Coordinates of all heavy atoms in Angstrom, one line a residue:
A41 N 82.8 65.0 71.2 CA 81.4 65.3 71.2 C 81.0 65.8 72.6 O 80.2 66.8 72.7 CB 80.6 64.0 70.8
V42 N 81.5 65.2 73.6 CA 81.2 65.7 75.0 C 81.7 67.1 75.2 O 81.0 67.9 75.8 CB 81.8 64.7 76.0 CG1 81.7 65.3 77.4 CG2 81.0 63.4 76.0
E43 N 83.0 67.4 74.7 CA 83.5 68.7 74.9 C 82.6 69.7 74.2 O 82.4 70.8 74.8 CB 84.9 68.7 74.3 CG 86.0 68.1 75.1 CD 87.4 68.3 74.6 OE1 87.5 69.1 73.6 OE2 88.3 67.7 75.1
E44 N 82.2 69.4 73.0 CA 81.3 70.4 72.3 C 80.0 70.6 73.0 O 79.5 71.7 73.1 CB 81.1 69.8 70.8 CG 80.4 70.8 69.9 CD 81.3 71.9 69.4 OE1 82.5 71.9 69.7 OE2 80.7 72.8 68.8
Y45 N 79.4 69.5 73.5 CA 78.1 69.5 74.2 C 78.2 70.3 75.5 O 77.4 71.2 75.8 CB 77.6 68.1 74.5 CG 76.3 68.1 75.2 CD1 75.1 68.1 74.5 CD2 76.3 67.9 76.6 CE1 73.9 68.1 75.2 CE2 75.1 67.9 77.3 CZ 73.9 67.9 76.6 OH 72.7 67.9 77.3
V46 N 79.3 70.1 76.2 CA 79.5 70.8 77.5 C 79.7 72.3 77.2 O 79.1 73.1 78.0 CB 80.7 70.2 78.2 CG1 81.2 71.1 79.3 CG2 80.4 68.8 78.7
L47 N 80.5 72.6 76.2 CA 80.7 74.0 75.9 C 79.4 74.7 75.5 O 79.1 75.8 75.9 CB 81.7 74.1 74.7 CG 82.1 75.5 74.2 CD1 82.8 76.3 75.3 CD2 83.0 75.4 73.0
H48 N 78.6 74.0 74.7 CA 77.4 74.6 74.1 C 76.3 74.8 75.2 O 75.5 75.7 75.3 CB 76.8 73.8 73.0 CG 75.7 74.4 72.2 ND1 74.4 74.2 72.6 CD2 75.6 75.2 71.2 CE1 73.6 74.9 71.8 NE2 74.3 75.5 70.9
H49 N 76.2 73.8 76.1 CA 75.2 73.7 77.1 C 75.6 74.2 78.5 O 74.8 74.2 79.4 CB 74.6 72.3 77.2 CG 73.8 71.9 76.0 ND1 74.5 71.3 74.9 CD2 72.5 71.9 75.7 CE1 73.6 71.0 74.0 NE2 72.4 71.4 74.4
R50 N 76.9 74.5 78.6 CA 77.5 74.9 79.9 C 77.2 74.0 81.0 O 76.7 74.4 82.1 CB 77.0 76.3 80.2 CG 77.4 77.4 79.1 CD 77.0 78.8 79.5 NE 77.3 79.7 78.5 CZ 77.1 81.0 78.6 NH1 76.5 81.5 79.6 NH2 77.5 81.8 77.6
V51 N 77.4 72.7 80.7 CA 77.2 71.7 81.7 C 78.2 71.8 82.9 O 79.4 72.0 82.6 CB 77.3 70.3 81.1 CG1 77.2 69.2 82.1 CG2 76.3 70.1 80.0
S52 N 77.8 71.8 84.1 CA 78.6 72.1 85.2 C 79.6 70.9 85.5 O 80.7 71.2 85.9 CB 77.8 72.4 86.5 OG 76.9 71.3 86.8

Side-chain angles (χ1 to χ4, degrees):
V42 169
E43 285 186 8
E44 188 74 7
Y45 179 84
V46 167
L47 180 65
H48 188 273
H49 293 84
R50 300 184 180 180
V51 176
S52 58

